[in-house]
Amino acid sequence: MNRTHLSYAIREATGFGRAEVWQVDLSKFSSVVAFADRLEKEGGRLDILLANAGVGLDKYRPTEDGWEESLQVNNLSTSLLCLRLAPRLVETSMKYPGARPRIVVVSSELHYNVSLPERAYDEGQSAFEHLNSREYCAAIMPGATRYSETKLLNVFFTLSLSELLKETPVVVNTVTPGYCYSDLARNASAAQAQADRIAKAILGRSTEKGARQLVYAAVGGEEKIDTLRGAYINLHKADEPGDYVLGEEGKKRRDKLWNDLVLELSKVDGRVLEIVQAYPANRGGNST
Ligand SMILES: NC(=O)c1ccc[n+]([C@@H]2O[C@H](COP(=O)([O-])OP(=O)(O)OC[C@H]3O[C@@H](n4cnc5c(N)ncnc54)[C@H](OP(=O)(O)O)[C@@H]3O)[C@@H](O)[C@H]2O)c1
């Protein structure tokens, strides 16, 4: 859909006619950087960044930037967008009394089902490089592992970003909409799409119920806002994320992934390191 059609669709669905649509393609770093640059120049206050876009791919598909597409869309570009826009959310909290900006990253309960290969934590190699290697992708695709891995990475990223911004009023959390009707299976094989249809008929939530979880994560729970910092939100409350991200081991994994992520993103956008180093929490917490 182009911008005019999207504005029209929003007006039709909600009655709100002043929505301005800016498009971004998360499978291209150049598009993410252009979007962030434009927002820096032309954008006003920024109260909510809802990082919802995601793909579930059954087959290996490389992007123009050389990444397995779901790894780039769901993780690298989503993280790049959050990092690039974070300063504007912080600025909004300073400039507008009462503003309580939030960054919400949409993950999934499927993050409970996976861990990452041990090789991702090898010193001297970027975890993302390993996760992107043809050899590793061939071993896990087709199948649901890659999608679940990307959702696990979303949870790790949220915890690290929340830690980075902990001295600011910006609240960062991650949310699962639950298993619900959507177009996520659009790239699935015919057999998988059929299995998905059957499973959804039994277990699926409506799209609206799924969306309500996102709305809660973005604006709900003001009365207990501190419990939502760095939280994994499920069914309108902070829930415990998977054991794999918790404890001392989880923190070690998280720090390695964070450092590797910042390294990878710094190669595509020089502003990333500057932003990461701008927040005091970084000097005590994350180690980049
Ligand atoms: N549905 C579920 O059961 C479920 C469960 C847990 C978590 N989630 C998560 O919920 C989020 C939304 O997914 P959904 O279920 O609503 O699926 P969906 O209907 O397929 O929506 C995915 C969204 O991502 C956008 N997107 C895909 N590739 C993009 C790209 N390269 N650049 C920019 N935007 C892109 C799509 O935009 P276009 O339509 O313009 O392509 C669409 O708006 C995802 O993060 C997913 O992992 C879904």
Side-chain angles (χ1 to χ4, degrees), residues 14 45 47 63 99 111 120 122 144 151 177 186 206 236 239 286:
T14 65
R45 69 182 279 177
D47 289 276
T63 65
H111 88 272
D122 280 357
K151 297 290 108 181
R186 69 180 104 174
S206 68
H236 295 176
D239 206 346
N286 300 319

Side-chain angles (χ1 to χ4, degrees), residues 260-275:
D260 290 352
L261 177 75
V262 170
L263 192 79
E264 295 295 351
L265 296 182
S266 300
K267 291 180 201 162
V268 295
D269 188 340
R271 293 271 289 114
V272 168
L273 204 53
E274 208 180 292
I275 290 166

Side-chain angles (χ1 to χ4, degrees), residues 125-147:
Q125 192 200 10
S126 150
F128 292 89
E129 231 175 72
H130 178 63
L131 295 173
N132 191 47
S133 73
R134 279 304 296 265
E135 188 195 4
Y136 179 66
C137 290
I140 57 162
M141 295 175 100
T145 305
R146 171 43 46 97
Y147 174 74

Side-chain angles (χ1 to χ4, degrees), residues 24-71:
V24 59
D25 182 351
L26 299 184
S27 69
K28 290 186 183 136
F29 288 133
S30 56
S31 173
V32 180
V33 173
F35 181 92
D37 287 348
R38 181 177 173 197
L39 194 120
E40 266 181 8
K41 283 197 201 87
E42 299 173 32
R45 69 182 279 177
L46 182 57
D47 289 276
I48 296 165
L49 169 55
L50 178 50
N52 172 63
V55 283
L57 297 179
D58 195 32
K59 290 198 190 78
Y60 176 83
R61 210 159 73 185
T63 65
E64 282 172 15
D65 295 318
W67 291 93
E68 186 282 311
E69 187 174 331
S70 52
L71 192 61

Side-chain angles (χ1 to χ4, degrees), residues 41-240:
K41 283 197 201 87
E42 299 173 32
R45 69 182 279 177
L46 182 57
D47 289 276
I48 296 165
L49 169 55
L50 178 50
N52 172 63
V55 283
L57 297 179
D58 195 32
K59 290 198 190 78
Y60 176 83
R61 210 159 73 185
T63 65
E64 282 172 15
D65 295 318
W67 291 93
E68 186 282 311
E69 187 174 331
S70 52
L71 192 61
Q72 180 163 0
V73 171
N74 299 6
N75 300 120
L76 294 161
S77 287
T78 292
S79 306
L80 177 58
L81 195 62
C82 290
L83 281 165
R84 280 293 311 267
L85 302 195
R88 182 54 59 91
L89 286 127
V90 174
E91 197 183 297
T92 298
S93 72
M94 310 288 180
K95 255 171 125 173
Y96 300 93
R100 191 69 137 149
R102 293 196 201 180
I103 298 177
V104 179
V105 179
V106 180
S107 58
S108 163
E109 52 270 57
L110 287 180
H111 88 272
Y112 289 111
N113 296 359
V114 281
S115 55
L116 298 176
E118 275 310 309
R119 277 195 57 194
Y121 304 103
D122 280 357
E123 284 308 322
Q125 192 200 10
S126 150
F128 292 89
E129 231 175 72
H130 178 63
L131 295 173
N132 191 47
S133 73
R134 279 304 296 265
E135 188 195 4
Y136 179 66
C137 290
I140 57 162
M141 295 175 100
T145 305
R146 171 43 46 97
Y147 174 74
S148 304
E149 283 179 345
T150 67
K151 297 290 108 181
L152 175 64
L153 287 166
N154 286 148
V155 176
F156 273 121
F157 172 72
T158 300
L159 288 169
S160 293
L161 185 63
S162 179
E163 192 167 290
L164 182 74
L165 299 179
K166 70 182 176 194
E167 304 296 336
T168 79
V170 176
V171 170
V172 184
N173 63 43
T174 182
V175 62
T176 177
Y179 187 44
C180 52
Y181 283 88
S182 78
D183 289 331
L184 197 61
R186 69 180 104 174
N187 294 299
S189 64
Q192 262 198 326
Q194 174 68 356
D196 186 59
R197 265 193 296 277
I198 295 168
K200 282 220 174 88
I202 302 164
L203 299 167
R205 290 182 188 159
S206 68
T207 309
E208 187 186 332
K209 276 193 185 149
R212 278 192 209 143
Q213 308 300 320
L214 276 51
V215 171
Y216 177 83
V219 295
E222 270 297 319
E223 67 291 351
K224 47 180 176 185
I225 194 71
D226 283 332
T227 67
L228 301 185
R229 276 185 174 269
Y232 168 68
I233 298 175
N234 181 24
L235 294 173
H236 295 176
K237 62 175 172 42
D239 206 346
E240 196 166 282

